[in-house]
Amino acid sequence: MQIQRAIWGAPAATAAAAAPRCVRARRCPGAEAAADRQQHRQQQTQTQQHMQTQQQTQHRQQHRQTQTQHRPLGRRGTLAAAAAAGLLLAAPQRAARAAAARPPAVDPALAVAFQEALAARSFADADAAWGRAIALAPENAAARSNRGTVRLQAGEWAAAYDDLAAAAALEAEQRGAASGVLLNNLGNAEGALGRWPDALRHYRAAGGDAEVGAIALANYALAAWETGDAGAAVATARQLLRRDPEFLDARAALTAFLWGSGQRSAAEGEWEALQQASDGLGAALYSATGAVERVRHRWPPRATAALVAFLNVADEGEAEGYDLVVRRYTFGAA
């Protein structure tokens, strides 16, 4: 888990993951590809269901444990986040930026609290250490943002939101505006709580950030899809892919959006492009048997369900939400 190390610095890194990149590739005929996939999956249905059940059980057991989050939905390899919400999951603030600022006099006890929090190996220890830092310096936005990020990773949505919202208010007061990283994390917490209009607003605001703008816009696309705005979801995903054709998670999301909105042949084309991406990296990361597990709890449930429907060549798909409740979604053909 990467977080802000400077006591006086900007907020922590996000709990979201970051997406690998992909390249454009040839499209395949939608009907033939769908038929081939359906025949292949009929032979593997029982095995896949057993594997998915085991994976889902394991994920729930780990869901509320503190984890080191590597960017598998980025600019290095995911996006959102993430926070378990997985929303598409943000990038850490650059250390040089924090170092460039002249540090004020620091309370030795506050420095110790930061060091203990950074060295903590469990959620409870990290949460307690950040709590001590906040008690020593209530106006320290970095400490509050870092605790919010830790809580976001642990699935403590409401507590994460409280910290991140407070950190955003402090940054706005002290610097004139909250950072893109912080706004993206705040959007992740809001999405996990079902506050999608607020999440959309903060993702959009973070979308202009030079460092995490693409990640925030990918989260915006997922949030738009979750709220039923298929047009905005598809348009935003395509915009991201025009800028960066190797954005694998955005390509996978666009596949789900297109299938769910009834554009079946276009969805098959995006999937084929994903499978051909980066000398096989796309196929390795987003295989027919592993793609859903890769995005589960990083993407909002409706997008995950649309990907499930695509892979099953079906009009319906199920996905578990941030409340760990499984719901079924129906998607119509064009």
Side-chain angles (χ1 to χ4, degrees), residues 34 41 63 93 117 123 141 147 246 255 266 268 287-288 295 306 333:
R41 283 179 201 106
H63 185 60
Q93 298 280 350
F123 165 70
R147 189 175 70 174
E246 297 183 348
T255 299
E268 294 288 354
S287 67
V295 304

Side-chain angles (χ1 to χ4, degrees), residues 80 152 154 179 188 223 277 286 327:
L152 191 63
S179 70
N188 287 346
Y286 295 86
R327 295 178 177 85

Side-chain angles (χ1 to χ4, degrees), residues 142-164:
R144 198 170 290 275
S145 176
N146 285 343
R147 189 175 70 174
T149 298
V150 168
R151 290 176 169 181
L152 191 63
Q153 290 174 316
E156 300 290 343
W157 314 129
Y161 169 79
D162 289 343
D163 275 342
L164 293 167

Side-chain angles (χ1 to χ4, degrees), residues 215-241:
I215 291 172
L217 288 177
N219 283 337
Y220 178 88
L222 288 170
W225 179 259
E226 183 68 18
T227 58
D229 192 346
V234 169
T236 303
R238 282 179 167 157
Q239 175 187 359
L240 286 167
L241 289 167

